[in-house]
Amino acid sequence: MDRREVVLKADRLRVWYGSFLAIKDVDFQAKVGMVTALIGPSGCGKSTLLRSFNRMNDLIPSVKIGGSVEFRGRNIYDSSVDPTELRSRIGMVFQKPNPFPKSIFDNVAFGLRVNGYTGDIYEAVERSLRQAALWEEVKDRLNKSAFALSGGQQQRLCIARALAVEPEVVLMDEPASALDPIATLAIEQLIRELSRVYTIVIVTHNMQQAARVSDETAFLMVDDDRAGYLVEHGDTQQIFTNPKDERTEAYITGRFS
Amino acid sequence: MTPRTDFHKDLTRLQDELLLLGGMVEKAVARAMDALRRRDLDASRQVVREDDIVDLKRFDLEERCIDLIATQQPMAGDLRVIITVLHVAVELERIGDYAEGIAKISLMMGNDPPLKPLIDIPRMAEQSADMLRRSLDAFVNRDIVAATTVCKDDDKIDDLYDQVYRELLTYMLEDPETIRRATYLLWVAHDLERIADRTTNIAERVIFLVTGRLADVSVSRY
């Protein structure tokens, strides 16, 4: 795995909701096997940016996209791209754990069945649950309802569900914001483990979390026109010890006006 | 998998690196003394050169500590480990400077005939090296009893320093011709006394690491 290889690339990306410009001219790259964190104040467009990486925004009416997003060199907004197929390559984990009202096993197997997986489903489910560091806790009750799990376990189940279809990239939108501190640290450790296999882009409100889990950090901001834009993107250590842009410094030191 | 497995691995690595620096410095002191005793100017020059490596290693450790503080929000015992490494790295680097100092004095002596056979000075070197080793062992074992003993042993080094000082003073009083050579030896003894003192600082940091208390355990006379 060459960690300089760019997997996802946004070029002058603009996203409108109706006539409202939510992000303007964002250039962004996510490199293979790295965790890239998106941080910034509320309304800076970090979730919008994340959702544009696997066309989740398509599901919102009146969305318009400008510029381009390339996944492995191919523009994902090209008319020839099947968004469902794209989302199996670029998975997503949401803020609040959202397991389906099904058994633990069926939750993880869901994506495989939808995609007509022809391999051994049981094996794939076990592999995904192991990768999500949940296997040991659930292996004896795979047929129990997913709702019987704790919040932290549910979130790891959702991660396992995303991993089951063997994506290349996992997008995470505040994956720990609904969890208690220990479950949060467990998810963070899991993200570190997963980055050995997957490319991860994570949005977080919690910049300490970004500092702990990511290899690279991108800082977005928003001005009076309410359109989010990218200020600085660099190695996480550099961003948190010696940012280049004074706006980044102001934000991470809590001197933001 | 515990929640912070990776971070705790980083902490272990940090401490291993600190011990590596400790080993480098220990060797520097031993080689500086050996070169002085054998009047081997090439070996002294080498000690001076290699101090640069010690300095770089210290910066490297400091940088890692800063990164961990900035990115990992260390708490409680983890925070104390990082703060301790930060301080001990500085102390070790200074001890390395004293080794370099001894090597430089040896170079200043050049090919001067020896003033006297060295007896108490090697003894000081041996005992301060032993204190350094024990302070690092106390760090590894989180052993406050051993750390306290190191602090107390500083008195013995101070006694030896007094003894060396009085002896050299006698030489100088008897024959002003010896003043230059005696002063050089006094400087060496002074560097060794400083090494022992820095070592007690390390031991005090071990006590902080374990108990969270910052205190002078023994106050050096020098």
Side-chain angles (χ1 to χ4, degrees):
Chain A
M1 194 152 58
D2 178 358
R3 286 167 54 104
R4 283 158 306 177
E5 192 186 338
V6 173
V7 182
L8 267 180
K9 183 167 180 284
D11 235 346
R12 298 206 50 186
L13 182 68
R14 279 150 285 149
V15 179
W16 288 267
Y17 296 116
S19 61
F20 167 57
L21 180 63
I23 53 175
K24 57 179 176 192
D25 295 332
V26 170
D27 291 329
F28 174 87
Q29 299 188 337
K31 299 184 191 113
V32 71
M34 280 204 179
V35 179
T36 306
L38 305 178
I39 62 167
S42 296
C44 72
K46 48 193 189 299
S47 284
T48 298
L49 179 61
L50 188 78
R51 297 162 64 87
S52 63
F53 292 148
N54 71 345
R55 295 185 55 171
M56 276 290 167
N57 290 326
D58 286 16
L59 308 173
I60 302 168
S62 82
V63 160
K64 221 168 63 206
I65 305 283
S68 70
V69 176
E70 285 181 3
F71 170 53
R72 295 246 168 243
R74 185 169 173 211
N75 188 353
I76 65 168
Y77 287 97
D78 194 276
S79 58
S80 66
V81 172
D82 169 10
T84 312
E85 148 74 17
L86 175 74
R87 285 178 207 131
S88 72
R89 313 291 313 125
I90 306 178
M92 196 155 194
V93 176
F94 300 88
Q95 263 179 26
K96 223 170 109 46
N98 56 346
F100 303 137
K102 293 170 179 294
S103 71
I104 293 167
F105 186 93
D106 288 342
N107 260 276
V108 183
F110 184 83
L112 297 168
R113 287 175 178 147
V114 168
N115 291 343
Y117 185 68
T118 52
D120 182 339
I121 287 208
Y122 186 89
E123 214 171 78
V125 168
E126 177 175 341
R127 171 183 52 77
S128 310
L129 285 168
R130 280 189 190 281
Q131 281 190 329
L134 190 59
W135 175 252
E136 291 303 324
E137 291 160 60
V138 300
K139 62 180 178 194
D140 299 324
R141 45 178 172 142
L142 293 173
N143 293 318
K144 291 270 159 52
S145 164
F147 293 135
L149 299 173
S150 72
Q153 288 172 326
Q154 286 186 15
Q155 192 60 307
R156 277 179 282 149
L157 180 69
C158 293
I159 291 173
R161 192 176 63 196
L163 300 182
V165 295
E166 300 190 66
E168 237 180 289
V169 180
V170 182
L171 308 175
M172 298 186 172
D173 192 355
E174 302 215 38
S177 58
L179 306 179
D180 69 68
I182 298 300
T184 297
L185 291 174
I187 293 286
E188 290 178 5
Q189 176 62 30
L190 176 59
I191 292 170
R192 292 307 315 160
E193 311 267 332
L194 293 177
S195 73
R196 281 154 207 161
V197 183
Y198 303 93
T199 301
I200 294 171
V201 183
I202 176 175
V203 161
T204 173
H205 257 113
N206 177 336
M207 66 183 144
Q208 280 76 28
Q209 178 169 72
R212 287 190 295 264
V213 304
S214 68
D215 301 295
E216 289 192 357
T217 298
F219 170 55
L220 287 86
M221 222 173 86
V222 61
D223 292 338
D224 292 341
D225 65 1
R226 294 169 56 226
Y229 60 96
L230 183 78
V231 174
E232 183 172 358
H233 181 168
D235 282 348
T236 294
Q237 286 176 350
Q238 175 252 315
I239 295 281
F240 284 93
T241 57
N242 194 14
K244 291 200 181 88
D245 193 294
E246 57 187 27
R247 290 167 295 179
T248 314
E249 171 94 25
Y251 181 71
I252 64 174
T253 57
R255 290 180 175 79
F256 210 64
S257 55
Chain B
M1 186 184 86
T2 58
R4 306 199 72 181
T5 309
D6 277 19
F7 169 52
H8 291 136
K9 271 189 215 151
D10 285 343
L11 273 188
T12 308
R13 212 170 305 138
L14 187 70
Q15 294 172 77
D16 290 345
E17 295 286 323
L18 182 76
L19 294 173
L20 211 64
L21 176 63
M24 287 162 71
V25 167
E26 229 178 280
K27 213 181 285 166
V29 176
R31 285 161 72 184
M33 284 306 298
D34 188 52
L36 176 76
R37 223 170 6 226
R38 292 190 293 108
R39 312 293 315 113
D40 181 341
L41 298 183
D42 280 339
S44 295
R45 268 180 220 111
Q46 199 184 337
V47 172
V48 173
R49 266 198 311 274
E50 288 182 0
D51 189 55
D52 291 349
I53 306 171
V54 169
D55 293 352
L56 287 177
K57 186 85 202 159
R58 168 245 167 130
F59 285 134
D60 174 53
L61 272 162
E62 235 178 309
E63 234 163 66
R64 283 166 190 243
C65 289
I66 291 168
D67 286 343
L68 285 175
I69 293 170
T71 62
Q72 298 300 317
Q73 298 83 47
M75 296 290 171
D78 293 344
L79 178 60
R80 294 206 302 278
V81 167
I82 295 174
I83 298 297
T84 301
V85 170
L86 208 49
H87 275 274
V88 172
V90 174
E91 301 292 354
L92 288 172
E93 188 263 329
R94 290 297 293 164
I95 293 176
D97 287 346
Y98 294 126
E100 185 192 14
I102 291 170
K104 280 182 171 164
I105 296 164
S106 167
L107 292 174
M108 282 189 253
M109 290 176 178
N111 295 316
D112 282 357
L115 175 66
K116 61 181 279 296
L118 298 179
I119 299 160
D120 286 329
I121 286 180
R123 207 173 279 161
M124 279 181 85
E126 226 166 83
Q127 289 188 20
S128 50
D130 181 54
M131 284 168 67
L132 176 58
R133 247 189 317 276
R134 283 187 287 131
S135 69
L136 293 174
D137 284 346
F139 171 78
V140 172
N141 301 321
R142 307 293 196 256
D143 184 344
I144 54 173
V145 177
T148 311
T149 314
V150 169
C151 294
K152 300 251 183 292
D153 285 352
D154 188 45
D155 284 346
K156 295 178 194 161
I157 300 288
D158 289 349
D159 289 344
L160 279 171
Y161 184 42
D162 279 341
Q163 204 167 302
V164 169
Y165 172 63
R166 281 193 303 266
E167 192 193 9
L168 290 172
L169 213 53
T170 327
Y171 276 90
M172 293 191 261
L173 287 170
E174 254 170 37
D175 176 6
E177 281 282 295
T178 64
I179 288 178
R180 207 168 54 94
R181 282 177 295 159
T183 306
Y184 286 149
L185 289 181
L186 199 54
W187 287 347
V188 170
H190 178 75
D191 280 342
L192 292 170
E193 187 278 326
R194 299 310 307 155
I195 289 175
D197 230 29
R198 295 279 174 177
T199 300
T200 66
N201 290 349
I202 294 174
E204 280 167 5
R205 286 289 148 180
V206 172
I207 295 170
F208 162 76
L209 174 62
V210 177
T211 66
R213 279 196 311 274
L214 286 169
D216 263 335
V217 178
S218 74
V219 180
S220 172
R221 292 203 296 277
Y222 295 99

